[in-house]
Amino acid sequence: MTTGEIDFKDGLRVWFKEVHVGLLLGLTMASLALLLAMMMFGNALLALTVSIAIFSIILTANCVGALLPLMAKRLALDPTLLSAPMISTTVDAEGLIIYFSIAKVILGL
């Protein structure tokens, strides 16, 4: 964005690339989390809950991280100042909601 190579109109292209990266990273991390949780706790439902949550959180974080700076620039705000605190706060809050929602469904909490 600083060099002018990416603008708001490129948002869909950027989003698709980030979704692709998020899928790959999410699948990798979810697989590792599944194995680790199974080894540590021996509970398949807990391991499934953790792995699905990690996959979902990573995918969401990539999407938010890609689109928030573009939206900030579109609103004439400085994307560099807004991005770090806004992305961290948004992803953390969404991560908790995602994790507890998945735990509620799978574990019946």
Side-chain angles (χ1 to χ4, degrees):
M1 286 176 51
T2 303
T3 61
E5 294 178 20
I6 297 175
D7 201 359
F8 187 75
K9 66 180 186 255
D10 301 314
L12 195 58
R13 180 177 56 87
V14 169
W15 185 76
F16 276 119
K17 284 185 177 182
E18 286 299 322
V19 166
H20 184 264
V21 170
L23 287 171
L24 292 174
L25 181 61
L27 285 173
T28 303
M29 296 298 292
S31 299
L32 293 172
L34 182 71
L35 291 172
L36 187 61
M38 281 300 294
M39 289 188 317
M40 288 177 66
F41 304 109
N43 184 335
L45 288 179
L46 180 62
L48 184 64
T49 300
V50 170
S51 64
I52 291 173
I54 286 178
F55 175 78
S56 303
I57 291 167
I58 289 173
L59 189 58
T60 303
N62 275 36
C63 293
V64 168
L67 296 178
L68 268 181
L70 291 173
M71 289 191 294
K73 187 173 182 184
R74 179 72 171 192
L75 296 171
L77 301 169
D78 185 5
T80 55
L81 294 177
L82 179 70
S83 292
M86 185 71 124
I87 291 172
S88 296
T89 304
T90 304
V91 169
D92 287 348
E94 287 176 355
L96 285 171
I97 292 168
I98 289 169
Y99 178 72
F100 286 122
S101 298
I102 290 170
K104 182 178 179 181
V105 170
I106 294 176
L107 300 175
L109 301 175

